[in-house]
Amino acid sequence: MKILATYNIKGGVGKTSTAVNIGYLAARDGYRVLLWDLDPQAAASFLFRIRPRVKGGGKALIRGKRPVEDAIKGTDFDGLDLLPADFTYRHLDLVLDSAKKPARQLASLLAPLRAEYDVVILDCPPSISLLSESVLHAADLLLVPLIPTTLSVRTLDQLTGFIDDFAGHRPAILAFFSMIDRRKRLHLEISQALPSERGEFAQAVIPALSLIERMSVERAPVTAFSPRSQAARSYGDLWREARERAGLGDPPG
Ligand SMILES: Nc1ncnc2c1ncn2[C@@H]1O[C@H](COP(=O)(O)OP(=O)(O)OP(=O)(O)O)[C@@H](O)[C@H]1O
Ligand SMILES: [Mg+2]
C-alpha cells in the first residue's frame, strides 16, 4: 500500500482537483483505492456525491476509538472508496495534540488498511499544522500543486526544508505546476525552466481549463466525464509520473 497526499500550505491551488482525478485514474488502472477527504470544507466528498459525515465525528476516528473501516463509503466508481470529510475535522489539530505521538497518528490509523487497499490518497486542507505534519509522516509521496510565480519556488523550499528536519520517515515530493495560463508569459517561463532544474518537479503540468472547473457542476472527476479531453490527458501524464515516483508495482489482477 502506498500513501499519496495532495498538499500545499496555500489554498485554492488544485489539491482536491488533483486528488479526485489521481484517485479515479488509479482505480481505473485496477488498484484498490481509498481517498480520505481530510478537509472540513469537504470538496472531495461533494465531488463524489457523498454526504460529508462521519458517525461519532473526527475525534473518535482519529483517536482510534472507531475503526476507520466503519466510516468508508463506496463511490460510483469501481475500486474507488471514500473516507468522507466531517465538519468536526476542523478540530483535528486539538484531537491530535492530545494523542501520544501526534505525528505518527495517521500512519498508525492507516496501517490496518494495508490488506484492503493498494493506494491511499489524502486530500489535505490548506495549512501547516499538526494534521499536516501527521500527513507528511504517513505519506510515501506528496503531490504539491504550485501556481507558477516566483514565490512558488519559495513555498517548495520551505516545504522541503520542513521535511528535511524530520527524524525518521520522509515522503518523496512530486511538485507540479497547476492552473498554468498559456497567455501569461511569466507562467510559461517559470513552468518551462524549473522542471529541468529541479528534481522534485514533474514534467507534467496542469493547464488552467474551464473543463476542470466544471467538475463541481458534473460532480465527477474530469478524467471520468471527459476522458479524451486535454484536462484528462494532463492528469494522466501526472498520474504516470506519480505512480513511478511512489514506486507502485503493477496493479493486481
Ligand atoms: N487546472 C485548473 N483549471 C481551472 N480551474 C481549476 C484548475 N484546478 C482547480 N481549479 C478550480 O479552482 C478551484 C480550487 O481548486 P481545488 O479545490 O482543486 O483547490 P484546493 O487546493 O484543493 O483548494 P483548498 O485549499 O480550498 O482545498 C476550484 O473551483 C477548481 O474547480
Ligand atoms: Mg481542497
Side-chain angles (χ1 to χ4, degrees):
M1 183 177 85
K2 295 289 182 191
I3 302 176
L4 279 57
T6 53
Y7 178 75
N8 192 314
I9 183 167
K10 285 197 185 16
V13 293
K15 297 181 294 293
T16 299
S17 305
T18 303
V20 303
N21 282 291
I22 294 289
Y24 171 79
L25 290 171
R28 208 191 54 186
D29 273 359
Y31 297 101
R32 298 162 303 168
V33 183
L34 175 68
L35 196 158
W36 190 349
D37 182 357
L38 282 166
D39 189 342
Q41 295 176 98
S45 306
F46 174 84
L47 288 172
F48 283 117
R49 302 165 185 262
I50 289 172
R51 198 159 77 102
R53 191 160 148 62
V54 170
K55 255 207 189 125
K59 192 167 165 180
L61 200 65
I62 292 288
R63 287 232 170 118
K65 298 252 159 62
R66 200 176 279 271
V68 173
E69 285 97 322
D70 286 5
I72 293 174
K73 309 274 185 213
T75 67
D76 294 341
F77 305 103
D78 279 347
L80 179 57
D81 291 345
L82 185 98
L83 192 49
D86 189 279
F87 196 53
T88 60
Y89 283 5
R90 68 195 191 281
H91 301 309
L92 286 191
D93 263 18
L94 289 172
V95 178
L96 279 171
D97 201 29
S98 63
K100 277 206 193 83
K101 292 180 178 167
R104 314 273 167 205
Q105 190 68 7
L106 274 187
S108 35
L109 283 176
L110 291 169
L113 300 177
R114 232 155 245 288
E116 279 155 79
Y117 294 101
D118 305 305
V119 181
V120 173
I121 298 171
L122 305 173
D123 184 28
C124 300
S127 67
I128 187 145
S129 59
L130 211 43
L131 174 64
S132 351
E133 209 174 318
S134 198
V135 164
L136 302 187
H137 275 285
D140 296 292
L141 180 69
L142 293 188
L143 291 163
V144 184
L146 295 165
I147 313 282
T149 69
T150 40
L151 281 177
S152 60
V153 186
R154 229 182 124 236
T155 305
L156 185 62
D157 286 338
Q158 283 170 338
L159 177 61
T160 47
F162 182 58
I163 292 173
D164 282 345
D165 290 340
F166 281 2
H169 174 86
R170 291 173 198 166
I173 294 180
L174 186 65
F176 62 96
F177 286 116
S178 174
M179 300 192 206
I180 291 197
D181 184 344
R182 305 240 164 241
R183 291 162 307 179
K184 289 188 181 157
R185 205 166 58 131
L186 186 66
H187 275 205
L188 280 179
E189 283 171 9
I190 293 178
S191 65
Q192 283 165 359
L194 275 168
S196 52
E197 289 167 17
R198 305 254 320 226
E200 306 99 319
F201 273 95
Q203 296 299 317
V205 299
I206 308 295
L209 294 165
S210 52
L211 202 59
I212 294 178
E213 279 176 271
R214 238 197 117 65
M215 290 200 296
S216 57
V217 180
E218 303 279 343
R219 294 186 73 178
V222 65
T223 41
F225 70 77
S226 191
R228 290 179 203 287
S229 60
Q230 190 197 348
R233 283 202 308 276
S234 303
Y235 282 118
D237 291 342
L238 182 64
W239 163 234
R240 274 185 294 279
E241 285 185 67
R243 191 176 54 189
E244 186 160 318
R245 191 140 332 174
L248 264 163
D250 289 335

